[in-house]
Amino acid sequence: MKEAVEIEQPLSSTQRAVVVEKGESSRSRAYVAPGLNRGISIIDLVLRLVALVGTLGSAIAMGTTNETLPFFTQFIQFRAEYNDLPSFTFFVIANSVVCTYLVLSIPLAIVHVIRSSARHSRLILIFFDTAMLALLTAGASAAAAIVYLAHKGNVRANWFAICQQFNSFCERISGSLIGSFAAIVVMILLIFLSSFALVRH
Amino acid sequence: MKEAVEIEQPLSSTQRAVVVEKGESSRSRAYVAPGLNRGISIIDLVLRLVALVGTLGSAIAMGTTNETLPFFTQFIQFRAEYNDLPSFTFFVIANSVVCTYLVLSIPLAIVHVIRSSARHSRLILIFFDTAMLALLTAGASAAAAIVYLAHKGNVRANWFAICQQFNSFCERISGSLIGSFAAIVVMILLIFLSSFALVRH
């Protein structure tokens, strides 16, 4: 990778020289100063931190949710925990995995700020970002489907709304989705920014 | 776009010339013949068709699912349709939207086969592919969460497994997920391929 990056630099200046030689206007095809790609890399780093906080918050908020009602009967257990429902367990796992990935990707993002002309490492990030986007979306969406069911129930399937009993449990699990969905939007932006940085070489 | 594409060609050959001049081995940094990017574009087109068939099949399979049991009581309605559950409606909508997008993206994919050095149009495709990947994953995952619940039920929430009554309904909705999940994998590959084509310029 280092070798490739170092070869890249003289090529970029050659390219720019060729463009100038051809009298090409800077408007129609901007061969970038390294500064712009550095700006993109810094935004990339900041967005990674935002997504990191979002997924970490979601995982913790969901993972620590439980509620025991102050009364009970013989027939119904009045205790709710996030891992009663497999979708919520998946949500916590997906968020934790993505959060770990984001932590691991931050050193590479810092390398991109320093060596803003790196290309192959951006490609690697795009691939993993895409896979992690899919994982995170799957977790958030499965949890959202169950949260919706908990709130509204379903008359046709005879599933009733457990939120009528477990108020604070339901508020907590609904809230924990926010960080995850914010992280999804941020990861779409991350993929777009990395591709944009690739195009501008 | 056309202008950008036509400027691209002489730059590529200049780059290659510079690399040769520097005595750079072709192994460590392969400046590509247009043929390789054309190959990538053809694979891209084929994968788009595969994803198109997957999402279309899923949308139709789910959208036409209903089952009426040959007996009924006063209390329970023995009829199941996909739109009894909002997650399944979302699944059908998400698959239809992605399917429509894929149809619309095919002309652009064909343009990429012909003009394999196009870059900005690839960037546009990456952006929309990513957004559509998120939408498709959300739909498939929400539906999968409900399908799981229909199969297994949940003792803690007192939601019972409706699949015990609606066998053929459940088989159909489970099967319709396959096309969607296959399309998710294909779309991850599509994003990676487009980024790969960008890197190789």
Side-chain angles (χ1 to χ4, degrees), chain A residues 15 84 119 138 141 156 199, chain B residues 15 84 119 138 141 156 199:
Chain A
Q15 285 177 336
D84 291 340
R119 307 205 309 168
S141 177
R156 284 331 238 334
V199 151
Chain B
Q15 285 177 337
D84 291 339
R119 307 204 309 167
S141 176
R156 286 331 240 330
V199 151

Side-chain angles (χ1 to χ4, degrees), chain B residues 36-84:
Chain B
L36 184 53
N37 263 5
R38 180 152 297 155
I40 291 174
S41 302
I42 292 169
I43 296 171
D44 183 285
L45 182 60
V46 171
L47 286 181
R48 260 169 224 285
L49 290 171
V50 171
L52 175 64
V53 171
T55 51
L56 186 66
S58 284
I60 292 174
M62 181 67 88
T64 55
T65 302
N66 59 6
E67 186 183 6
T68 311
L69 295 191
F71 54 89
F72 57 90
T73 72
Q74 203 176 345
F75 303 108
I76 304 166
Q77 284 180 302
F78 287 128
R79 180 151 208 283
E81 258 184 75
Y82 82 96
N83 57 8
D84 291 339

Side-chain angles (χ1 to χ4, degrees), chain A residues 2-18:
Chain A
K2 198 185 170 197
E3 191 185 28
V5 168
E6 284 175 352
I7 295 161
E8 180 61 16
Q9 297 284 20
L11 281 181
S12 290
S13 37
T14 315
Q15 285 177 336
R16 223 173 302 138
V18 170

